[in-house]
Structure formats: C-alpha cells, structure tokens
Amino acid sequence: MKDSRLEALRSLMAEQGLDAMLVSKPVHLQYFSGFRGDSAVLVIGREKTILATDSRYTEQAAQQAPRYEVVEQKEGLWPKVSECVKQLGVRAVGFESNDMVYRDYERLSKLLEHVTLKPCVLDHLRQIKDAEEIACIRKACEIADRAFTDILQYIRPGISELAVAAHMENCMRELGSEGPSFTTIVASGARGSLPHGIATEKLIVSGEFVTMDYGAVYAGYRSDITRTICVGHADEKQRRIYGSVLRAQKEALSAIRPGVSGKAVDAVARNSLEKDGLAQYFGHGLGHSLGLEIHEEPRLSPKSSCEHLVRNMLVTDEPGVYLPGWGGLRIEDTVLVTEQGGVPLTASDKQLIEL
C-alpha cells in the first residue's frame, strides 16, 4: 500500500471538512491498507490510522497492514469503531455511503451521537492506476490470454458451455489466478444474443459462434476479455457481422487516448456499426474501467460522465451485435490509456478463428 493513496484520501477529507474517515468497502480495505480480509473497518484520522477487526484476522491484518494500529473487537465491530473515533476526539467523520447499510448507519449514529456523520464516496480515487496496479492487471491479462490459447485445443462440438467455462477457470487457476473475475460467460449459437449469457448445459454444435467473456484475478486485480470463435466453418452472415464488430472494436481502440471523452469513444464504435445497419443491435455501453472491481469508473457509453480520459486509466473496449433468434458476438480487450493512445493488455488473436 502506497503512502500516496492515504495522502489522496486525506486531501479529500480536508476538502470535505472531515476529521476522520471510516473505510468499510472491502476493496478499499485493500487499497488503503493492504489488508485483504473482510469484517473490518479502517479508521483514518489526519495523522493516525487504525484497523478494527476480529480475532480471525488480527494476525493477518498485522502482516498485511503494517502502517495501521490493529485493534480487536470482541463485542461488535461498530462499537469498537465508535470507541476508536472517540479516542481520536474528532467531530466530523465520513463514511462510505455506497457501502454502509442503513442498519449500521443507525447503530453508528446512536453510538456517536455527538459526532457528525457525513456520506462520502471514495471510488473515484481509484480511477488512475499506479505502476503496481497496472503490473497486477497486466499479469491477470496474461493469464487470461494463456487460457484462451488452451481452450482452443479443448473446445469442440458436443462439449457443454459449462464444461468450457470450467476448463477455462481451472486453467487460469493453475496459471496463478485467484479465481474468475466474474461469472464466466459462455454463450453458443442462438444464446449468443444474450450479452451476459452465463454458461449452461447446452451442448456446442458445429457451425455455431461461441462467445467467451471471462477474466483472471491476480493480487486482487481483475482482467476482462471476450473472444468469439466459430466451432466449424463460418457462413457468410457470420463472417460479415464478425467483420463489422471487429472493425468497430479496432476503430474504438484507435480513439482511446488522453483527453477524449467516454461518450466520444463510444460513438466511434456505434458509428462504425451503423455503417452496416447494426448499431441498433448494440445495446450496452462500449466499456468500463476495472481494477479491484470488475466494473469501475470511468465508463465508455452514451451516458458516460467521463469528460477526459487520463493516462494510466484502464478501460474495456467491447462492442457487440446481438440478434435474437440468430445469436451474436462480442470482441473485448482490456486497454491501458497511454500518451501514445490505447494499448491492449489482452493480446489474444482477434481475427475470426474457425476450429
């Protein structure tokens, strides 16, 4: 855990007039302290840092969060947190409003009746990745790429979507992944029209597209990649639509660079598909950021709030076409924003593969 992360958090606290911050979102426990357990809260003052947890995690916390004073709770996490706040003697305390449930807020309010609790969101502090984070995501992408190479030797007619997903996940595990980034998507044939069609018992048939959307996790950081292949020979319609999606994906990739808005990059892909009359079948946004979570800001979409991409942001570039009753496909890379433009961290072949 880098000091710069705490410095950024304390700058935000100063801007919002906070004396302390309660960090409870699991990914933020890791981001701001290095601790990778749960059932814990960070109490971050202007100078002091405390990690409150229970006996299951005190030893782990001491190892992973050496900059923090680890305190053990025995009668409840929030009573211990309120005790820590009182010891700091602070009056204005922030809490993560997009993580804390109302029941806990009510309880904390009663325990700290003379303290002002202010809602706060910290997710935007993770938008620009540091070198350590980029290295972890790059490793997660390498694992996913190797799994794609492996699955090409495994997949064939008669194998179920579930078997494909299990094989990929097991391969990534053996290569060092902590688990899948999200529920692995394997959608074959007509099921390809489901953008989030998770794997089922359906058997793959020769001549079908198979869309695989998956990722690895390395040191808590996630990758995201989608590749669509044809098991058997593709027909003319499959080739035509695949070519349109690949063109849109590549044109959007060329548009990713510092200073460009999320809406503008999304529009590049959408306009490309419109040339072939396919934009109406592309219903979701072009992409999202990722890191400790699979879906983070900034987004690439018609509703994106990102006015300017910044160097060392990461975004996915994933246009797709989905035709109910026929099927569909998607092509996706995890992309690093650099001064020279967008650099894909996922390197698997994007040309149409026929097995």
Side-chain angles (χ1 to χ4, degrees), residues 49-82:
T49 52
I50 302 169
L51 190 159
T53 188
D54 60 60
S55 61
R56 297 171 298 168
Y57 293 116
T58 50
E59 182 179 0
Q60 177 183 335
Q63 294 171 353
Q64 295 179 337
R67 292 182 176 88
Y68 282 71
E69 176 189 346
V70 178
V71 297
E72 181 181 339
Q73 65 89 356
K74 296 181 179 180
E75 298 179 358
L77 183 58
W78 293 112
K80 176 57 72 172
V81 168
S82 64

Side-chain angles (χ1 to χ4, degrees), residues 6-24:
L6 275 179
E7 291 170 3
L9 176 55
R10 283 179 166 137
S11 293
L12 179 65
M13 288 163 51
E15 290 172 10
Q16 300 194 8
L18 300 173
D19 302 313
M21 182 71 207
L22 306 182
V23 177
S24 56

Side-chain angles (χ1 to χ4, degrees), residues 212-270:
M212 296 167 283
D213 187 347
Y214 64 100
V217 182
Y218 184 80
Y221 285 85
R222 299 164 193 273
S223 61
D224 196 355
I225 179 174
T226 306
R227 291 293 185 267
T228 300
I229 64 172
C230 188
V231 177
H233 293 294
D235 61 28
E236 187 277 333
K237 184 175 182 179
Q238 288 172 317
R239 291 178 183 277
R240 175 170 52 83
I241 295 179
Y242 190 97
S244 296
V245 174
L246 180 58
R247 183 188 66 207
Q249 204 266 352
K250 288 182 175 180
E251 289 182 1
L253 177 61
S254 296
I256 295 173
R257 61 183 182 275
V260 179
S261 73
K263 290 181 180 178
V265 179
D266 176 271
V268 169
R270 222 163 284 279

Side-chain angles (χ1 to χ4, degrees), residues 140-168:
C141 288
E142 291 173 358
I143 292 171
D145 278 331
R146 291 176 65 184
F148 181 70
T149 299
D150 181 84
I151 202 66
L152 295 180
Q153 309 302 315
Y154 175 81
I155 194 169
R156 62 184 184 274
I159 290 180
S160 72
E161 295 172 344
L162 280 170
V164 171
H167 187 88
M168 295 183 76

Side-chain angles (χ1 to χ4, degrees), residues 94-107:
F95 68 93
E96 293 200 76
S97 55
N98 61 351
D99 178 72
M100 185 180 291
V101 298
Y102 186 68
R103 176 195 61 199
D104 291 338
Y105 172 77
E106 276 193 312
R107 188 174 189 191

Side-chain angles (χ1 to χ4, degrees), residues 1-5 31 125-140 142 218-219 221 290-291 311-314 336-338 345:
M1 191 279 300
K2 294 189 175 182
D3 290 338
S4 57
R5 299 179 189 178
Y31 187 74
L125 297 178
R126 294 187 286 114
Q127 287 193 35
I128 300 173
K129 270 51 177 183
D130 59 36
E132 179 182 322
E133 293 179 290
I134 293 170
C136 290
I137 296 170
R138 191 184 296 276
K139 178 65 176 179
E142 291 173 358
Y218 184 80
Y221 285 85
L290 75 172
R311 184 177 70 89
N312 288 348
M313 284 181 170
L314 282 127
L336 175 66
V337 180
T338 75
L345 300 187

